[in-house]
Amino acid sequence: MIELVRTNDPVVISFIEALLRDAGIEFFVADQNMSVVEGSLGVLPRRVLVSSDTVDRAKRLLADAGIAGEIRNG
């Protein structure tokens, strides 16, 4: 899986999840449960991962939604 986005913003994560789900793109949000370790401070970023065969489509989807700035480079 390829890291598409890394952010501390739960609203951005939720928006991306909705976009990907509606587009039928499978994804995984890593580090969701790290709040137990960090004490619910929101310090540790969550990562949205997609498969390598859907990463280009997912990037276009986020760009079309106006959040291309959230996409990880690399």
Side-chain angles (χ1 to χ4, degrees):
M1 296 202 86
I2 307 291
E3 183 177 326
L4 182 64
V5 172
R6 181 183 296 198
T7 183
N8 293 350
D9 190 334
V11 174
V12 171
I13 293 286
S14 179
F15 183 49
I16 291 170
E17 286 179 306
L19 289 171
L20 295 174
R21 191 175 303 111
D22 289 348
I25 299 173
E26 291 188 28
F27 64 93
F28 176 74
V29 180
D31 308 322
Q32 283 191 102
N33 298 318
M34 290 304 292
S35 63
V36 172
V37 175
E38 68 177 73
S40 300
L41 297 174
V43 176
L44 299 174
R46 279 57 169 173
R47 298 173 292 140
V48 178
L49 309 171
V50 295
S51 66
S52 57
D53 59 333
T54 61
V55 69
D56 291 332
R57 188 171 153 223
K59 286 180 178 181
R60 275 194 312 277
L61 182 67
L62 269 56
D64 290 347
I67 55 171
E70 297 292 336
I71 298 171
R72 287 287 281 186
N73 294 327

